[in-house]
Amino acid sequence: MISNVVDLASSEDEEHENQTKRKKRTNNTETPVTESPLQSNSNHSLEFRSFWKAGAYDVGSTKSIHEQGQLEHARVHPKFLHSNATSHKWAFGAIAELLDNAVDEVCKGATFVKLDRISNPKDHNPALLFQDNGGGMDPEGLRQCMSLGYSMKAANTIGQYGNGFKTSTMRLGADVIVFTRKSQGSRATQSIGLLSYTFLRKTGQDDVIVPMIDFEISGDRTQPIMYSSLDDWSNNLRNILEWSPFTSDQELLQQFEDIGPHGTKIIVYNLWLNDDGLLELDFDHDEEDIRLRDEVNRDKSLKKRDRLLESHISYQIRFSLRAYVSILYLRKFKDFNIILRGKPVLQHHIVDDLKYLEQITYRPQLGKASKEVTVRAEIGFIKEAPHLRVSGFNIYHKNRLIRPFWKLINDHTSYGSGVVGVLEANFIEPAHDKQDFERSTLFLRLEMRLKQMCNDFWKSHCHLIGNYTVVNQQKKLSIRPFDENAANLQRELSADQPVIGLSANMQQGLHLDQPVVGLAANVQSLSNGNTVLGEPSNMSRNMSSVQPSSGLSAGVNKDVSVDTSGSSLVDQICEENIQLFMRCEEHRQKEIGLKQTIEDLERELEEMKRKCSQLSSHLESQRKLKTISQQNGKGR
Ligand SMILES: Nc1ncnc2c1ncn2[C@@H]1O[C@H](COP(=O)(O)OP(=O)(O)OP(=O)(O)O)[C@@H](O)[C@H]1O
Ligand SMILES: [Mg+2]
């Protein structure tokens, strides 16, 4: 697909169009002022600096594909580089791909990957640098890196599709230059490759052409490797110099000085801008981090600030690269560091934050032909539970985080709130952006099983943390089946009888807004004046004299009396409570589905109406034409 022969036929039309656009922008007083103002660059118009708009340029006439003696081959239009990169909705997902490539080099001796903001020497705009001291690439390796679908990686590496480098670099910026050096036995080489969307677009290419040059290193001498002719070599070099951040051969070669005997340096430049013309990545807010500007701003509009949530990793990973990278790999590296803007990223184990931790074994049904696999899920409550409503499973694949905090239980209830899990699922395949999994049967089964794990964990542990919000949900639901049980219970509870199985909150007084679950939830609603039991005042009086008791709650006073006669009733009520929440959940899902169907039908109806009116106007004009032609016929 890729050749390193460059046809420099520039598209004059497009250059003219760009000049016009540049003029327009100069006159436009609403041009946004960037926080990190981008240096003007005569080669680029801002219209093409926003990733989501960058694929919309006109394709000029294509060159003849059939040259004599040449075998036909499918070509890849430069636009495909862009559309391929749209698989990364999230810029951090793209950054993760480039870190993965460096992590995959650990087996070849890599001890670090550094990621930094540098300044493009040509226009002084920010650029992204990724540098590792892994095995590096030889000339053939670099060609594969720049091509689509080549991956020679072993089975235990993160990389497998041969696509990550292309999607990620093109998602972060319009252009990327790679410097790589490899030593293999007595042979050492270094290579430079340029994948430039700007170059391809501006020179009207209809195939992906990648200028590359290679050198052989022997001792202190560095010799160019020529494959065909000197002209060819010079053309490649000229294109690299014209479209890269570097203006001379010396500047290019200097880039190898800090690479060492082997390693790779990747510079992504002409970074994409957001809709406001600001860099998508924010380097200014925190000089030790890279933040996603729009994600941060999105939260500024939140009505009520929730400091506890804002400090939680599940929230921070949305906009802080340092936070995201801290949980990106499941196992801690022994001799490898990810250095973000000069400071190593501390790896963070989500499991370390969990309380009441449990391990659950899961055996996916892989089919008869496959070896049996056993995986271990770890599940617990976040330490901030029940005050923080964060939940979900973190699913890793071959050590790499694919789905962070995947919510398996609906958001809108407190049911399942605070339950967080971690699982490494190597038996399912990640999607190409490595932010989700392919929806295979195995995946769907896993999803069901994880839901069940969360449910079971919640059922058996929710009393340990109490539960604030079930109360509110309960009030909203005002569920009848509870009435009977609660009424029975009220009858059973006498002023001096000990109670078992209630939440720890019970002992603190049911009239308070304390977290309660199951039975306690019903009782709470009584004290709030709801008419479930009909005798709220008696109930609170009774409850106020209830002895603190144990059973379900771990947080309860130890020296309490236990009455086992009440436990089955409490369990039963808890179970019913849970079943009702599950049903509620099902109904909510159904409601979402129905709403979707209504929307689809409405859209269809609109479409039909549109077609109908088109047809009737067409019919009308046909009728008119017919009348005119009839009149003309009569006139003659
Ligand atoms: N930093 C690097 N050091 C050495 N080789 C690299 C580096 N980055 C990329 N490569 C080489 O380029 C190839 C293509 O990389 P790319 O990320 O596109 O695909 P991959 O990692 O093989 O698979 P995936 O699409 O799943 O990421 C890799 O297989 C590897 O051989
Ligand atoms: Mg990769």
Side-chain angles (χ1 to χ4, degrees):
M1 167 284 312
I2 287 174
S3 121
N4 55 3
V5 179
V6 177
D7 180 349
L8 264 181
S10 77
S11 155
E12 281 173 20
D13 283 355
E14 193 183 342
E15 190 48 33
H16 172 73
E17 188 190 301
N18 289 338
Q19 274 169 8
T20 321
K21 280 180 183 159
R22 274 197 295 276
K23 271 190 205 146
K24 272 192 200 153
R25 185 160 287 283
T26 327
N27 297 337
N28 183 0
T29 49
E30 286 175 11
T31 304
V33 182
T34 58
E35 225 174 83
S36 0
L38 295 175
Q39 304 298 311
S40 69
N41 180 342
S42 60
N43 283 334
H44 312 116
S45 59
L46 279 175
E47 281 84 348
F48 288 109
R49 297 294 311 278
S50 162
F51 176 70
W52 298 106
K53 294 175 191 158
Y57 72 88
D58 292 337
V59 179
S61 60
T62 57
K63 298 177 195 84
S64 154
I65 47 168
H66 200 84
E67 279 175 32
Q68 248 197 332
Q70 230 185 26
L71 283 176
E72 291 278 13
H73 71 287
R75 290 175 302 160
V76 175
H77 194 275
K79 274 194 177 197
F80 179 74
L81 286 179
H82 178 267
S83 49
N84 194 32
T86 57
S87 65
H88 285 294
K89 308 282 173 293
W90 193 48
F92 283 179
I95 291 180
E97 292 272 5
L98 294 172
L99 297 178
D100 291 345
N101 283 348
V103 170
D104 281 343
E105 290 296 301
V106 168
C107 60
K108 294 183 192 150
T111 58
F112 73 84
V113 55
K114 67 178 181 192
L115 166 51
D116 215 337
R117 170 213 187 276
I118 57 164
S119 173
N120 179 338
K122 240 184 214 167
D123 59 17
H124 307 291
N125 285 327
L128 267 182
L129 165 83
F130 294 82
Q131 185 174 347
D132 66 64
N133 63 346
M137 289 170 267
D138 59 14
E140 182 52 26
L142 182 59
R143 274 148 189 81
Q144 290 184 357
C145 173
M146 298 267 185
S147 307
L148 291 167
Y150 289 89
S151 185
M152 304 296 166
K153 288 186 173 171
N156 59 348
T157 51
I158 305 163
Q160 52 175 316
Y161 298 122
N163 201 19
F165 173 85
K166 281 68 60 174
T167 50
S168 58
T169 50
M170 293 293 103
R171 173 63 189 84
L172 295 168
D175 310 292
V176 59
I177 185 163
V178 181
F179 300 86
T180 186
R181 182 181 278 165
K182 182 165 181 152
S183 315
Q184 230 170 359
S186 58
R187 190 179 189 227
T189 55
Q190 63 188 33
S191 305
I192 305 172
L194 180 81
L195 182 61
S196 169
Y197 189 59
T198 311
F199 154 67
L200 296 167
R201 185 171 61 76
K202 296 225 167 184
T203 57
Q205 301 299 325
D206 56 7
D207 203 352
V208 177
I209 289 166
V210 183
M212 283 192 239
I213 49 175
D214 308 299
F215 301 85
E216 189 98 48
I217 310 166
S218 51
D220 291 343
R221 281 165 54 93
T222 306
Q223 291 279 359
I225 305 175
M226 308 227 185
Y227 299 101
S228 49
S229 63
L230 180 60
D231 268 3
D232 188 26
W233 160 272
S234 309
N235 259 347
N236 278 306
L237 178 61
R238 203 178 68 229
N239 283 316
I240 292 174
L241 292 177
E242 186 171 352
W243 299 98
S244 81
F246 307 100
T247 41
S248 66
D249 316 15
Q250 288 77 12
E251 265 186 51
L252 278 180
L253 290 175
Q254 263 170 19
Q255 293 306 309
F256 287 102
E257 280 175 9
D258 61 353
I259 287 188
H262 46 82
T264 301
K265 185 188 261 190
I266 296 165
I267 298 170
V268 186
Y269 55 103
N270 287 327
L271 300 174
W272 298 117
L273 309 182
N274 68 7
D275 287 347
D276 302 325
L278 302 171
L279 279 174
E280 205 183 3
L281 299 175
D282 172 7
F283 300 101
D284 301 328
H285 187 271
D286 181 347
E287 61 183 27
E288 290 180 346
D289 200 0
I290 297 175
R291 309 209 329 164
L292 274 184
R293 195 183 303 276
D294 288 349
E295 281 296 331
V296 179
N297 291 342
R298 196 161 298 153
D299 287 326
K300 276 189 189 150
S301 59
L302 281 181
K303 274 173 239 118
K304 207 174 123 226
R305 299 200 62 178
D306 182 342
R307 301 252 173 233
L308 194 57
L309 177 64
E310 281 171 1
S311 64
H312 196 261
I313 188 91
S314 62
Y315 181 85
Q316 296 202 335
I317 56 172
R318 289 162 39 192
F319 56 82
S320 158
L321 185 64
R322 186 169 287 278
Y324 176 53
V325 174
S326 76
I327 57 167
L328 189 57
Y329 301 102
L330 180 59
R331 284 175 285 281
K332 290 196 176 159
F333 298 116
K334 264 201 227 121
D335 299 308
F336 184 78
N337 272 308
I338 300 173
I339 303 164
L340 174 60
R341 304 192 75 185
K343 193 175 155 193
V345 174
L346 292 178
Q347 286 186 268
H348 181 113
H349 269 176
I350 295 168
V351 163
D352 293 347
D353 293 343
L354 304 182
K355 53 189 180 185
Y356 309 116
L357 193 66
E358 272 193 0
Q359 290 189 341
I360 300 166
T361 302
Y362 174 57
R363 282 190 194 86
Q365 296 165 24
L366 300 181
K368 285 191 185 109
S370 316
K371 246 186 17 204
E372 198 174 272
V373 169
T374 302
V375 289
R376 227 175 32 208
E378 294 183 280
I379 188 167
F381 276 121
I382 47 165
K383 61 176 186 291
E384 297 85 352
H387 307 291
L388 184 58
R389 293 184 67 175
V390 162
S391 62
F393 250 91
N394 294 274
I395 314 291
Y396 288 78
H397 181 265
K398 295 186 181 166
N399 199 33
R400 152 72 136 85
L401 179 62
I402 304 292
R403 279 197 87 154
F405 295 94
W406 175 22
K407 281 202 168 40
L408 291 142
I409 297 182
N410 197 294
D411 240 350
H412 310 297
T413 68
S414 62
Y415 184 82
S417 170
V419 179
V420 165
V422 175
L423 173 82
E424 187 178 28
N426 296 341
F427 55 90
I428 44 175
E429 289 303 319
H432 278 228
D433 64 354
K434 306 226 173 81
Q435 297 298 307
D436 203 347
F437 288 96
E438 287 174 1
R439 295 193 71 78
S440 60
T441 314
L442 274 177
F443 172 82
L444 295 175
R445 272 203 210 117
L446 174 69
E447 184 175 5
M448 292 309 294
R449 182 68 188 97
L450 292 179
K451 271 187 188 168
Q452 196 189 339
M453 279 183 206
C454 292
N455 279 326
D456 292 349
F457 184 85
W458 172 260
K459 277 191 222 169
S460 54
H461 293 77
C462 60
H463 58 280
L464 298 177
I465 57 159
N467 183 21
Y468 284 101
T469 40
V470 168
V471 176
N472 299 332
Q473 290 298 329
Q474 202 60 58
K475 271 194 265 172
K476 273 187 229 150
L477 292 171
S478 84
I479 296 162
R480 286 287 123 194
F482 284 2
D483 298 4
E484 218 184 289
N485 284 324
N488 288 340
L489 182 68
Q490 191 216 9
R491 257 175 264 126
E492 278 178 28
L493 296 171
S494 75
D496 42 32
Q497 240 181 344
V499 183
I500 74 110
L502 299 177
S503 132
N505 308 295
M506 185 66 102
Q507 60 181 294
Q508 290 162 12
L510 289 165
H511 52 285
L512 298 174
D513 261 353
Q514 291 298 317
V516 255
V517 73
L519 165 67
N522 300 302
V523 179
Q524 171 84 357
S525 39
L526 292 173
S527 65
N528 280 332
N530 277 7
T531 51
V532 184
L533 278 176
E535 288 181 9
S537 53
N538 287 346
M539 190 66 177
S540 5
R541 220 181 313 122
N542 287 346
M543 289 302 174
S544 63
S545 55
V546 163
Q547 294 296 309
S549 42
S550 77
L552 290 175
S553 173
V556 189
N557 247 335
K558 293 257 167 55
D559 52 346
V560 290
S561 48
V562 175
D563 177 356
T564 44
S565 64
S567 70
S568 59
L569 179 61
V570 173
D571 282 351
Q572 194 190 330
I573 293 172
C574 281
E575 185 55 38
E576 274 181 40
N577 197 359
I578 285 160
Q579 292 305 326
L580 283 165
F581 275 111
M582 306 256 277
R583 273 174 54 196
C584 188
E585 178 66 29
E586 267 170 37
H587 287 302
R588 195 168 281 118
Q589 292 301 337
K590 270 189 200 152
E591 192 187 351
I592 293 169
L594 285 171
K595 275 187 187 153
Q596 186 61 44
T597 316
I598 292 171
E599 271 174 29
D600 291 348
L601 286 171
E602 277 174 351
R603 224 173 294 127
E604 227 172 273
L605 186 66
E606 280 308 307
E607 181 65 10
M608 287 302 171
K609 277 184 186 163
R610 198 181 55 77
K611 277 189 186 154
C612 193
S613 83
Q614 264 179 356
L615 277 174
S616 62
S617 63
H618 181 70
L619 199 68
E620 189 56 28
S621 61
Q622 290 297 318
R623 241 186 235 134
K624 276 183 189 156
L625 276 175
K626 200 175 164 191
T627 321
I628 293 168
S629 66
Q630 276 171 354
Q631 281 169 354
N632 286 347
K634 273 183 200 162
R636 259 189 251 125

